Amino acid sequence: MPNMSLKKNEMPSQAPDVRNKNFNEVALGYELSQALDEAERCLNCKKSPCVSGCPVGIRIPEFIAKIRENDFEGAYQVINKDSSLPAVCGRVCPQESQCEQKCVRGVKGEPVGIGRLERFVADWHNANVTASPEKPEPNGHKVAVIGSGPSGLTCAGDLAKKGYDVTIFEALHKAGGVLVYGIPEFRLPKAIVQKEVDGLKALGVKVETNVVIGKTVTIDELFDMGFESVFIGSGAGLPSFMKIPGENLKGVYSANEFLTRSNLMKAYRPDSYTPIKKNDNVIVVGGGNVAMDAARSALRLGAKNVYIVYRRSEEELPARREEVEHAKEEGIIFKLLNNPVKINGDENGFVKSVTCLKQELGEPDASGRRSPHPVPGSEFDIEADCVIMSIGTSPNPLIKSTTPGLESNRKGCIVADEATGKTSREHVYAGGDAVTGAATVILAMGAGKAAAKAIDEDLMG
């Protein structure tokens, strides 16, 4: 008999007043009994609407059925056929707006905890299976992948499984892209990312770090080196600023810089070579997942007060509900319907406070969210010694500026076919944030998967 409970099994986690002082993972994962109980909530629908909500097409009822049979490795292999990063997706994928949104159980209650079950299966595999995957027979074709974020890793993994000689070129000193520099340890432990990267290396994928495409080597030079196709998955790492007075003061960061210092460079460790000054009052401008990550990191780094300043209401916050709730539980202060207009400094050029203007919402804008309008005469100051700008990113222009014939749009994103990743350059494909601008891990993975399929059809057809 299916488990007809209207509620998911709760995710065990650290208590808020404990976790906001450490960088250990917040969510602790299902115990065996919880995973088995949650798997029984799946109705194994014939039409499997949940699968249509997954950008990489994981056969969700099939892997959940394996859990019910206590065949956890079998469940992992089902997931692994479609996803190269199951332990990552189980942690950071917004299932609530994708697969779980289409779950039939969500009509009269909470949907099945698909993401929590995926994490359970991936963690079980990582803890219990030590054998390396079998390398496929080489097919004689070479492909270069630019960037080792979710789109690049997925494209590389799918091609490696088909026998391609794949080399990933990563600009930073460590593979993982946004998974290592952007997402905090307390949401995605870096050992998990390394495990996924090591799995791809076991398939034969080569990873070259400290290679900046467009500077160290160009795309045209990659073709001269014998690569037959190139996939660009370089992400969107160029931060945006508000262009308000005071943004050049000491203590103003982009969220990318702040999180890179904390996540990749381990600034929270006493022996770090890339420290972050301990701040008393931190203001994070923005309302997305990156803003939540920056705010929660600042709190763990020792700030006394951390504010999220966002120009719309809570209803319009683009961050995942789970991340917003976690931030609130940990003590982040939300200053909604407010917009910074000036950053004020002291005589030494350090941030002293931020002047904000209250906002009211009017009609919806092009994205469907209600447009904010300033309330005249409503200025007020918030004391601050650190300001983190988290208002979006765009792709670095280096690749497109050094690749003749590679078309981009007015936002600096590479123009690529949505279904195949094909660009205006022959045998050059692109996907993920380099094409869409900043988006989710799973959407980037879907783009990498689509491009791998197109590259395979091109080179083998």
Side-chain angles (χ1 to χ4, degrees):
M1 281 288 292
N3 173 3
M4 298 309 295
S5 170
L6 297 180
K7 294 185 70 65
K8 296 178 187 177
N9 280 266
E10 289 191 18
M11 173 65 86
S13 62
Q14 291 191 69
D17 60 346
V18 173
R19 69 187 191 228
N20 64 6
K21 300 176 184 65
N22 67 64
F23 276 82
N24 299 328
E25 191 169 13
V26 169
L28 303 177
Y30 276 168
E31 297 288 340
L32 173 60
S33 59
Q34 292 175 302
L36 292 172
D37 190 58
E38 189 63 29
E40 291 292 345
R41 295 187 67 234
C42 177
L43 300 178
N44 197 19
C45 307
K46 287 184 178 180
K47 293 186 177 181
S48 304
C50 54
V51 177
S52 68
C54 176
V56 296
I58 292 173
R59 287 163 288 178
I60 294 166
E62 188 177 332
F63 97 74
I64 293 178
K66 292 288 187 183
I67 295 176
R68 288 199 296 267
E69 297 166 8
N70 281 267
D71 183 5
F72 308 127
E73 180 58 15
Y76 177 84
Q77 294 304 328
V78 171
I79 298 170
N80 195 46
K81 286 177 183 176
D82 299 298
S83 172
S84 299
L85 307 170
V88 171
C89 287
R91 286 168 164 82
V92 302
C93 179
Q95 293 93 2
E96 68 278 1
S97 61
Q98 294 175 339
C99 56
E100 292 184 13
Q101 188 180 56
K102 294 185 178 287
C103 177
V104 172
R105 291 302 306 270
V107 175
K108 293 185 177 180
E110 293 183 346
V112 175
I114 298 169
R116 297 173 183 181
L117 290 175
E118 181 179 15
R119 169 183 167 159
F120 170 82
V121 168
D123 287 355
W124 187 95
H125 170 84
N126 287 339
N128 292 278
V129 177
T130 57
S132 297
E134 192 172 324
K135 282 187 182 180
E137 284 292 318
N139 65 17
H141 294 287
K142 287 181 67 176
V143 177
V145 172
I146 301 172
S148 63
S151 64
L153 294 177
T154 298
C155 184
D158 280 16
L159 290 172
K161 291 172 185 176
K162 294 177 181 292
Y164 285 88
D165 180 352
V166 183
T167 302
I168 296 175
F169 294 95
E170 168 56 48
L172 296 176
H173 65 277
K174 194 171 184 63
V178 71
L179 303 176
V180 295
Y181 77 74
I183 302 177
E185 181 81 11
F186 56 81
R187 279 217 296 137
L188 179 61
K190 303 310 157 220
I192 295 289
V193 181
Q194 188 60 51
K195 185 83 172 177
E196 304 283 36
V197 172
D198 290 343
L200 294 183
K201 287 182 177 179
L203 282 173
V205 175
K206 295 182 281 292
V207 180
E208 299 286 345
T209 57
N210 299 308
V211 178
V212 181
I213 301 298
K215 190 170 184 180
T216 310
V217 63
T218 66
I219 285 178
D220 287 334
E221 288 170 338
L222 289 177
F223 284 116
D224 292 340
M225 292 160 61
F227 292 100
E228 299 164 81
S229 277
V230 174
F231 174 74
I232 304 171
S234 50
L238 185 66
S240 299
F241 286 87
M242 295 184 69
K243 299 181 174 61
I244 60 175
E247 281 187 315
N248 61 341
L249 289 168
K250 300 169 189 174
V252 179
Y253 296 86
S254 70
N256 264 28
E257 179 188 354
F258 187 84
L259 289 171
T260 298
R261 285 174 178 265
S262 177
N263 301 330
L264 184 63
M265 310 307 294
K266 311 298 182 189
Y268 56 88
R269 293 180 180 172
D271 60 347
S272 173
Y273 288 105
T274 307
I276 295 177
K277 172 179 170 286
K278 182 178 177 180
N279 301 288
D280 288 332
N281 298 292
V282 177
I283 289 178
V284 179
V285 182
N289 289 326
V290 176
M292 301 303 145
D293 287 344
R296 297 171 68 194
S297 294
L299 194 67
R300 286 161 169 77
L301 286 165
K304 295 177 181 176
N305 298 298
V306 180
Y307 303 89
I308 291 279
V309 176
Y310 181 62
R311 61 184 183 155
R312 292 182 169 93
S313 70
E314 183 167 345
E315 186 179 340
E316 287 83 22
L317 277 170
R320 294 180 68 185
R321 292 295 99 190
E322 178 181 278
E323 302 308 319
V324 174
E325 292 305 318
H326 281 173
K328 286 181 177 180
E329 291 170 357
E330 291 169 7
I332 304 298
I333 303 163
F334 282 74
K335 291 283 190 180
L336 304 177
L337 288 171
N338 290 291
N339 202 36
V341 293
K342 182 183 178 184
I343 304 173
N344 308 299
D346 62 18
E347 62 276 8
N348 296 313
F350 288 91
V351 172
K352 181 176 68 175
S353 65
V354 175
T355 300
C356 295
L357 196 60
K358 293 183 179 179
Q359 307 286 301
E360 58 184 10
L361 296 180
E363 295 302 312
D365 62 14
S367 69
R369 292 181 296 172
R370 295 170 65 195
S371 301
H373 302 286
V375 177
S378 62
E379 294 93 346
F380 67 99
D381 288 351
I382 304 176
E383 184 181 353
D385 49 2
C386 175
V387 177
I388 302 169
M389 291 292 180
S390 181
I391 57 173
T393 56
S394 59
N396 190 304
L398 185 60
I399 288 178
K400 66 178 186 290
S401 67
T402 57
T403 309
L406 185 64
E407 186 182 348
S408 60
N409 63 23
R410 62 181 181 82
K411 294 182 178 180
C413 298
I414 296 169
V415 175
D417 182 80
E418 185 177 347
T420 64
K422 288 184 179 180
T423 72
S424 55
R425 279 288 303 266
E426 189 176 12
H427 304 306
V428 176
Y429 299 76
D433 291 3
V435 171
T436 61
T440 63
V441 167
I442 192 66
L443 288 176
M445 289 176 62
K449 190 175 186 66
K453 183 175 184 291
I455 290 169
D456 179 51
E457 290 173 351
D458 178 32
L459 295 183
M460 300 302 288

